[in-house]
Amino acid sequence: KCIELLYIKELTQTTFKQMIFDSLICNWKRKTSTFDNHIFDKDKLVFIIEDEKGNIFGGYIHSKIDKYYVTNENEWKKESICDVNSFVFYLQKEGKEIKPMKILFNSEERENAFRLYGGESRRLFSIGNYINIMKENFKNQCYCENDNKRKSFDYSQNEEIPIKGEFTPKRIQV
């Protein structure tokens, strides 16, 4: 939607040229996913997630995606993208527009700003240790970590995290 793109442009201070992945069209199933082919070696990416409850949220990764946590050959590299400019955002809660929220990761969490999972992993990607997206076969196991345990965010912004727990993505766009 146009209004969402305007909010994202405002939050990221970046103009986006094209969508490079859409879960309604592209393959994101376990073993055959093409997700990594769409995003690898690219930077300044916005991940937009719309779930079945009408929540719209996601994350921005400024750094180049050039590492795998798990490769397509199922090798556990355990390499995360470190990004001081990454953040999560919220645009809509349960179908209702909310004030767009940009919440920064704390300094420790920026070390794990993004993880890419290939091969037979059930996971597709994670933004911080907070947003965890599974491959399509396991999409009902996606979740937003309860941040009370991890303290992933810079709470000096006094923002409450609006989405916690399990969710099922209706659409994922990058």
Side-chain angles (χ1 to χ4, degrees):
K1 297 176 186 175
C2 289
I3 192 79
E4 292 162 6
L5 292 176
L6 289 173
Y7 288 144
I8 290 168
K9 182 179 177 183
E10 180 182 316
L11 293 173
T12 61
Q13 300 296 303
T14 303
T15 302
F16 299 96
K17 297 175 183 147
Q18 65 182 0
M19 185 184 328
I20 59 173
F21 178 85
D22 186 341
S23 65
L24 297 179
I25 301 166
C26 302
N27 181 350
W28 55 299
K29 291 183 175 154
R30 186 178 188 193
K31 298 182 183 179
T32 61
S33 173
T34 62
F35 179 76
D36 57 328
N37 296 335
H38 294 272
I39 69 164
F40 201 79
D41 274 338
K42 294 188 173 62
D43 60 3
K44 298 178 186 153
L45 297 177
V46 174
F47 297 80
I48 304 168
I49 301 149
E50 180 180 359
D51 73 11
E52 291 183 346
K53 294 180 183 174
N55 298 307
I56 298 177
F57 58 101
Y60 173 69
I61 306 299
H62 187 82
S63 297
K64 182 185 278 190
I65 308 297
D66 60 358
K67 298 175 185 164
Y68 280 91
Y69 201 74
V70 178
T71 69
N72 282 328
E73 292 76 36
N74 297 309
E75 180 182 354
W76 284 82
K77 293 278 191 180
K78 294 190 177 181
E79 294 181 3
S80 301
I81 304 298
C82 174
D83 189 346
V84 298
N85 297 306
S86 62
F87 59 85
V88 296
F89 61 84
Y90 302 91
L91 301 177
Q92 194 168 298
K93 181 170 173 137
E94 296 173 356
K96 297 177 183 143
E97 278 190 38
I98 59 174
K99 177 185 166 212
M101 296 171 61
K102 171 181 176 177
I103 304 177
L104 304 173
F105 289 115
N106 67 28
S107 57
E108 184 179 315
E109 195 66 21
R110 290 180 193 138
E111 298 295 318
N112 299 309
F114 187 83
R115 290 181 178 157
L116 177 61
Y117 299 85
E120 294 188 25
S121 175
R122 293 185 318 169
R123 293 178 187 262
L124 190 64
F125 68 90
S126 61
I127 299 173
N129 287 312
Y130 178 64
I131 298 174
N132 296 276
I133 303 296
M134 306 301 177
K135 292 185 178 155
E136 187 175 18
N137 322 51
F138 305 94
K139 69 180 182 178
N140 62 339
Q141 297 173 15
C142 295
Y143 63 95
C144 289
E145 184 73 47
N146 182 342
D147 199 52
N148 293 339
K149 297 175 194 170
R150 289 207 191 276
K151 303 295 183 211
S152 301
F153 300 104
D154 175 2
Y155 283 104
S156 62
Q157 301 165 87
N158 294 320
E159 299 284 4
E160 182 180 326
I161 306 301
I163 300 170
K164 299 172 189 160
E166 293 183 354
F167 65 90
T168 301
K170 181 175 165 184
R171 187 175 194 182
I172 301 166
Q173 297 172 294
V174 183

Coordinates of all heavy atoms in Angstrom, one line a residue, residues 29-33 36 68 70-75 116-123 135:
K29 N 9.8 -22.5 0.5 CA 9.7 -23.8 1.2 C 11.0 -24.4 1.6 O 12.0 -24.1 1.0 CB 9.0 -24.8 0.2 CG 7.5 -24.4 0.0 CD 6.8 -25.4 -0.8 CE 5.3 -25.0 -0.9 NZ 4.7 -25.5 -2.1
R30 N 11.0 -25.2 2.6 CA 12.2 -25.9 3.1 C 12.7 -26.7 1.9 O 12.0 -27.3 1.1 CB 11.8 -26.8 4.2 CG 13.0 -27.5 4.9 CD 12.5 -28.3 6.0 NE 13.6 -28.8 6.8 CZ 13.5 -29.7 7.7 NH1 12.3 -30.2 8.0 NH2 14.5 -30.1 8.4
K31 N 14.0 -26.7 1.8 CA 14.8 -27.4 0.8 C 14.8 -26.8 -0.6 O 15.8 -27.0 -1.3 CB 14.4 -28.9 0.7 CG 14.6 -29.7 2.0 CD 14.2 -31.2 1.7 CE 14.3 -31.9 3.0 NZ 14.0 -33.3 2.9
T32 N 13.8 -26.1 -1.0 CA 13.7 -25.5 -2.3 C 13.6 -24.0 -2.3 O 13.4 -23.4 -3.4 CB 12.5 -26.1 -3.1 OG1 11.3 -25.8 -2.4 CG2 12.7 -27.6 -3.3
S33 N 13.7 -23.3 -1.2 CA 13.5 -21.9 -1.1 C 14.5 -21.2 -2.0 O 15.7 -21.5 -2.1 CB 13.7 -21.4 0.4 OG 13.7 -20.0 0.4
D36 N 17.1 -16.8 -0.3 CA 18.5 -16.3 -0.2 C 19.0 -15.8 -1.6 O 19.7 -14.8 -1.6 CB 19.4 -17.3 0.4 CG 19.4 -18.6 -0.4 OD1 18.4 -19.0 -1.0 OD2 20.5 -19.3 -0.4
Y68 N 25.8 -16.4 5.9 CA 24.8 -17.4 6.2 C 24.9 -17.8 7.7 O 26.1 -18.0 8.1 CB 24.9 -18.6 5.4 CG 24.3 -18.5 4.0 CD1 25.1 -18.1 2.9 CD2 23.0 -18.9 3.8 CE1 24.6 -18.1 1.7 CE2 22.4 -18.8 2.5 CZ 23.2 -18.4 1.4 OH 22.7 -18.3 0.2
V70 N 23.1 -20.6 8.5 CA 23.1 -22.0 8.0 C 23.1 -21.9 6.5 O 22.3 -21.3 5.9 CB 21.9 -22.8 8.4 CG1 21.9 -24.2 7.9 CG2 21.8 -22.9 9.9
T71 N 24.1 -22.5 5.8 CA 24.2 -22.5 4.3 C 23.3 -23.4 3.7 O 22.6 -24.3 4.3 CB 25.7 -22.8 3.9 OG1 25.9 -24.2 4.1 CG2 26.7 -22.0 4.6
N72 N 23.2 -23.3 2.3 CA 22.3 -24.2 1.5 C 22.9 -25.6 1.6 O 22.2 -26.6 1.3 CB 22.2 -23.7 0.1 CG 21.2 -22.6 0.0 OD1 20.3 -22.5 0.7 ND2 21.5 -21.7 -0.9
E73 N 24.1 -25.8 1.9 CA 24.7 -27.1 2.1 C 24.6 -27.6 3.5 O 25.2 -28.6 3.9 CB 26.2 -27.1 1.7 CG 26.5 -26.8 0.2 CD 26.3 -25.4 -0.2 OE1 26.6 -24.5 0.6 OE2 25.8 -25.1 -1.3
N74 N 23.7 -27.0 4.3 CA 23.4 -27.3 5.7 C 24.6 -27.2 6.6 O 24.7 -27.9 7.6 CB 22.8 -28.7 5.8 CG 21.4 -28.7 5.1 OD1 20.6 -27.8 5.3 ND2 21.3 -29.7 4.2
E75 N 25.6 -26.4 6.2 CA 26.7 -26.1 7.1 C 26.4 -25.0 8.1 O 26.0 -23.9 7.6 CB 27.9 -25.8 6.2 CG 29.2 -25.5 7.0 CD 30.4 -25.1 6.1 OE1 30.2 -25.1 4.9 OE2 31.4 -24.7 6.7
L116 N 20.5 -15.3 8.1 CA 20.0 -16.0 6.9 C 20.2 -17.5 7.0 O 21.3 -17.9 7.3 CB 20.7 -15.5 5.7 CG 20.3 -16.0 4.3 CD1 18.8 -15.8 4.0 CD2 21.1 -15.5 3.2
Y117 N 19.1 -18.2 6.8 CA 19.1 -19.7 7.0 C 18.8 -20.3 5.6 O 17.8 -20.0 5.0 CB 18.1 -20.2 8.0 CG 18.3 -19.7 9.3 CD1 17.8 -18.4 9.7 CD2 19.0 -20.4 10.3 CE1 18.0 -17.9 11.0 CE2 19.2 -19.9 11.6 CZ 18.7 -18.7 11.9 OH 18.8 -18.2 13.2
G118 N 19.7 -21.2 5.1 CA 19.5 -21.9 3.9 C 19.2 -23.3 4.1 O 19.0 -23.8 5.2
G119 N 19.3 -24.1 3.0 CA 19.2 -25.6 3.0 C 18.0 -26.1 3.7 O 16.9 -25.6 3.5
E120 N 18.2 -27.1 4.6 CA 17.1 -27.8 5.2 C 16.6 -27.2 6.5 O 15.7 -27.7 7.1 CB 17.5 -29.3 5.4 CG 17.7 -30.0 4.1 CD 17.8 -31.5 4.3 OE1 17.4 -32.0 5.3 OE2 18.5 -32.1 3.4
S121 N 17.2 -26.1 6.9 CA 16.8 -25.4 8.1 C 15.3 -25.1 8.0 O 14.8 -24.7 6.9 CB 17.6 -24.1 8.3 OG 17.1 -23.4 9.4
R122 N 14.6 -25.2 9.1 CA 13.2 -24.8 9.1 C 13.0 -23.3 9.1 O 12.0 -22.7 8.8 CB 12.5 -25.3 10.4 CG 12.3 -26.8 10.4 CD 11.6 -27.3 11.6 NE 11.9 -26.7 12.8 CZ 11.2 -26.8 13.9 NH1 10.2 -27.5 14.0 NH2 11.6 -26.1 15.0
R123 N 14.1 -22.6 9.5 CA 14.0 -21.1 9.6 C 14.4 -20.5 8.2 O 15.1 -21.1 7.4 CB 15.0 -20.6 10.6 CG 14.7 -20.9 12.0 CD 15.8 -20.4 12.9 NE 15.6 -20.8 14.2 CZ 15.1 -20.1 15.2 NH1 14.6 -18.9 14.9 NH2 14.9 -20.6 16.4
K135 N 10.3 -21.1 7.3 CA 10.0 -21.4 5.9 C 8.5 -21.8 5.8 O 7.9 -22.1 6.8 CB 10.9 -22.5 5.4 CG 12.4 -22.0 5.3 CD 13.3 -22.9 4.6 CE 14.7 -22.3 4.5 NZ 15.8 -23.2 4.5

